């Protein structure tokens, strides 16, 4: 009865107004699980392949009708009759059916949609909450779980906005909160304070892809400065109640071995020094992709420099949630935390495997949305179920972003004994 009877897929729109795929997995007893797949813009080169149709209407964006077809034909034929309770076997069947290294034949978007929807159908079949089912799948006891600290991206730069700011994300990290609802409220209040400050200083208050403001500020330091003012204006102490996380997404300004940032052509070591300078001036607790994915040799130096000043060194594009690449990174002493984006690797099983490797090697895990999102809240349940220490889901505004934060509030109600995670060690 837990056997998969039917798969349905459809094109829906993501938060940028472009097509993405949504999948329904229906079991023999009628239980249905549904999931949709997000889409990145500042992507790592080694991410699993997001399959898109060839032709692009002038404004439509490339569709995923081929992906829909793959789900409803090849994938359905291959996994029909398998039990949704056996997630690992289903994910393995999907990987085998695809047969390529990066899931380019069926598309990682087709595969992930089926993988996540299967987990939802299985939870329904067992009549347990998704978070409980996922924790069991990941081998975690409910008593050992925590709620992730939100990382709220309130100023958007890089590829996500036309602000001209080189750092892609300036994130509020309300680690001084004792409850998740309080942490989210603190972030929201600071977001509103920031909006007021920007308006008063004559900046525009339009937003980027992740709902953070996109003011035309001249430098990264100017953005950090106004963010600290906003934290204070909201009644909080920078560094004590709320700190800051940055995502440089350094791939985007790395070319010919140099970092082209704010008029400079910097070496890797210049870039590391710049990170440390910013840390010395501002209450920064986490730096993501401070170097480019092709600058592998310099990453251990960045890791050590951040360790000395007790700031989290977080790898996104360099690891792309891929257990094989991450294993090399661990071996070479690269980073001490890994960003987790299920669609970078393409199945739930591989995502959880990467997270287990992280835990075994003493790395923290940070669950993440993509810049093109849907209102699906799967990553919030997954973050809690896998003990991710932080979760980033953009600004505390816009439906597709806040749905994930709101789901954390619901999960805190579902599992009232869970504490907010700790472990951002600079100020602790
Ligand atoms: C969320 C991110 O952006 P994107 O989804 O565009 O890769 C990121 O770089 O961390
Ligand atoms: Mg990133």
């Amino acid at each position: 009865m837990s056997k998969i009877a039917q798969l349905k897929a459809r094109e829906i729109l993501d938060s940028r107004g472009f097509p993405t795929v949504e999948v329904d997995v229906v079991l023999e007893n009628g239980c249905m699980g549904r999931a949709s797949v997000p889409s990145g813009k500042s992507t790592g080169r080694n991410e699993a392949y997001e399959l898109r149709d060839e032709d692009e209407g002038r404004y439509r964006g490339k569709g995923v009708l081929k992906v829909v077809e793959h789900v409803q034909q090849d994938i359905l034929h291959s996994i029909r009759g398998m039990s949704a309770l056996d997630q690992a076997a289903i994910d393995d069947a999907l990987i085998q059916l695809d047969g390529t290294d990066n899931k380019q034949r069926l598309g990682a978007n087709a595969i992930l949609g089926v993988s996540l929807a299967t987990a939802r159908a299985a939870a329904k079949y067992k009549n347990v909450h998704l978070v409980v089912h996922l924790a069991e799948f990941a081998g975690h006891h409910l008593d050992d779980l925590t709620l992730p600290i939100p990382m709220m991206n309130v100023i958007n730069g890089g590829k996500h906005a036309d602000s001209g700011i080189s750092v892609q994300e300036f994130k509020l990290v309300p680690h001084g909160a004792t409850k998740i609802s309080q942490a989210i409220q603190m972030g929201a209040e600071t977001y509103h304070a920031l909006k007021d400050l920007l308006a008063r200083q004559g900046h525009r208050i339009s937003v980027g892809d992740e709902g953070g403001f996109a003011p035309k500020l001249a430098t990264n330091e100017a953005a950090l400065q106004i963010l600290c003012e906003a934290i204070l204006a909201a009644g909080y102490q920078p560094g004590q109640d709320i700190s800051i996380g940055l995502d440089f997404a350094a791939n985007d300004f790395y070319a010919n071995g140099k970092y082209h940032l704010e008029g400079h052509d910097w070496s890797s070591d210049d870039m590391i020094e710049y990170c440390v300078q910013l840390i010395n001036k501002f209450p920064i607790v986490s730096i993501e992709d401070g170097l480019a994915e092709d600058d592998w040799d310099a990453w251990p130096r960045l890791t050590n420099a951040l360790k000395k000043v007790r700031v989290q060194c977080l790898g996104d594009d360099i690891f792309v949630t891929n257990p094989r690449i991450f294993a090399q990174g661990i071996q070479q002493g690269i980073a001490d935390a890994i960003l987790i984006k299920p669609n970078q690797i393409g199945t739930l099983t591989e995502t959880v495997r990467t997270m287990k490797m992280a835990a075994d090697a003493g790395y923290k895990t940070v669950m993440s949305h993509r810049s093109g999102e849907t209102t699906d809240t799967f990553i919030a349940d997954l973050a809690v179920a896998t003990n991710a220490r932080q979760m980033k889901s953009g600004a505390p505004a816009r439906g597709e972003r806040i749905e994930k934060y709101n789901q954390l509030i619901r999960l805190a109600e579902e599992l009232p004994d869970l504490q907010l995670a700790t472990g951002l060690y600079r100020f602790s």
Side-chain angles (χ1 to χ4, degrees):
M1 290 293 268
S2 64
K3 288 179 180 167
I4 291 176
Q6 191 54 263
L7 298 180
K8 275 184 80 179
R10 61 190 68 82
E11 258 188 358
I12 59 169
L13 289 182
D14 73 11
S15 56
R16 281 191 274 255
F18 291 129
T20 191
V21 65
E22 180 176 82
V23 176
D24 299 347
V25 169
V26 186
L27 307 187
E28 280 182 358
N29 73 344
C31 280
M32 196 266 275
R34 172 174 292 165
S36 54
V37 180
S39 178
K41 194 190 267 180
S42 80
T43 49
R45 194 183 51 254
N46 294 314
E47 291 195 19
Y49 191 78
E50 181 186 80
L51 185 66
R52 297 228 163 237
D53 301 334
E54 293 284 297
D55 51 331
E56 176 175 18
R58 186 152 175 219
Y59 293 114
R60 183 178 182 273
K62 291 190 173 179
V64 289
L65 292 175
K66 196 80 202 156
V67 170
V68 168
E69 191 186 308
H70 284 161
V71 172
Q72 297 186 154
Q73 294 186 10
D74 275 22
I75 294 181
L76 174 61
H77 292 143
S78 126
I79 67 168
R80 192 185 344 227
M82 291 180 78
S83 169
L85 300 178
D86 201 348
Q87 183 79 43
I90 286 178
D91 287 345
D92 194 49
L94 295 171
I95 292 166
Q96 299 307 324
L97 178 68
D98 176 81
T100 68
D101 265 1
N102 64 349
K103 304 184 177 69
Q104 68 180 32
R105 190 178 82 76
L106 297 169
N109 35 355
I111 293 172
L112 186 69
V114 174
S115 183
L116 301 185
T118 295
R120 277 219 171 92
K124 277 214 185 129
Y125 179 82
K126 285 159 67 180
N127 199 21
V128 297
H129 198 290
L130 178 63
V131 74
V132 174
H133 173 65
L134 291 175
E136 273 172 22
F137 175 62
H140 283 290
H141 215 273
L142 291 182
D143 297 341
D144 301 334
L145 301 178
T146 52
L147 292 157
I149 300 175
M151 281 190 148
M152 299 168 147
N153 178 11
V154 293
I155 298 182
N156 290 188
K159 280 193 177 154
H160 292 167
D162 61 356
S163 58
I165 305 171
S166 46
V167 167
Q168 179 180 283
E169 300 171 16
F170 295 78
K171 298 171 282 189
L172 297 170
V173 188
H175 55 83
T178 51
K179 284 169 50 178
I180 187 68
S181 52
Q182 184 194 9
I184 293 168
Q185 181 64 31
M186 287 162 71
E189 286 166 3
T190 307
Y191 180 78
H192 298 307
L194 178 63
K195 184 176 183 179
D196 271 359
L197 275 171
L198 288 168
R200 261 191 273 137
Q201 293 179 17
H203 295 292
R204 54 185 201 174
I205 47 161
S206 56
V207 297
D209 285 356
E210 297 187 356
F213 299 111
K216 287 206 185 296
L217 297 170
T219 61
N220 295 315
E221 289 209 16
L224 285 161
Q225 185 60 43
I226 197 161
L227 207 45
C228 288
E229 286 168 30
I231 294 169
L232 282 168
Y236 298 107
Q237 217 40 51
Q240 198 173 309
D241 303 314
I242 304 180
S243 294
I244 297 172
L246 298 179
D247 182 3
F248 276 88
N251 283 351
D252 296 339
F253 49 86
Y254 183 69
N256 306 317
K258 294 280 181 206
Y259 292 89
H260 305 282
L261 186 85
E262 296 186 359
H264 305 285
D265 298 320
W266 277 338
S267 68
S268 312
D269 290 309
D270 293 334
M271 195 58 208
I272 294 168
E273 201 183 307
Y274 176 63
C275 288
V276 173
Q277 267 176 29
L278 291 181
I279 289 164
N280 287 335
K281 282 192 192 169
F282 298 98
I284 293 166
V285 287
S286 175
I287 291 207
E288 178 182 335
D289 285 354
L291 295 173
E293 66 184 308
D294 287 333
D295 203 3
W296 196 264
D297 290 346
W299 266 87
R301 299 203 295 281
L302 172 68
T303 308
N304 289 332
L306 296 190
K307 196 184 228 162
K308 270 195 201 136
V309 288
R310 298 172 63 81
V311 165
Q312 175 172 276
C313 182
L314 177 57
D316 170 13
D317 292 339
I318 186 155
F319 297 141
V320 290
T321 318
N322 183 313
R324 189 180 44 78
I325 299 173
F326 184 40
Q328 289 169 21
I330 294 171
Q331 231 176 26
Q332 294 183 31
I334 290 178
D336 60 12
I338 175 172
L339 202 78
I340 300 294
K341 293 168 167 168
N343 81 326
Q344 281 182 328
I345 185 67
T347 63
L348 181 58
T349 302
E350 290 163 291
T351 304
V352 167
R353 188 182 308 150
T354 301
M355 297 185 80
K356 172 101 178 52
M357 281 174 60
D360 290 346
Y363 280 58
K364 297 200 181 67
T365 52
V366 180
M367 188 61 64
S368 173
H369 68 157
R370 300 308 304 248
S371 53
E373 263 296 339
T374 72
T375 51
D376 195 326
T377 55
F378 197 103
I379 59 163
D381 289 69
L382 186 59
V384 174
T386 53
N387 231 342
R389 294 303 179 91
Q390 297 133 50
M391 184 185 86
K392 71 168 189 175
S393 176
R398 285 175 56 136
E400 78 281 4
R401 311 293 152 188
I402 50 114
E403 259 311 277
K404 278 86 164 161
Y405 296 129
N406 288 343
Q407 179 70 358
L408 292 181
I409 293 173
R410 296 181 199 112
L411 290 171
E413 215 174 89
E414 188 73 24
L415 304 168
D417 293 335
L418 298 198
Q419 305 288 314
L420 200 55
T422 54
L424 281 159
Y425 43 90
R426 183 173 180 200
F427 296 107
S428 56

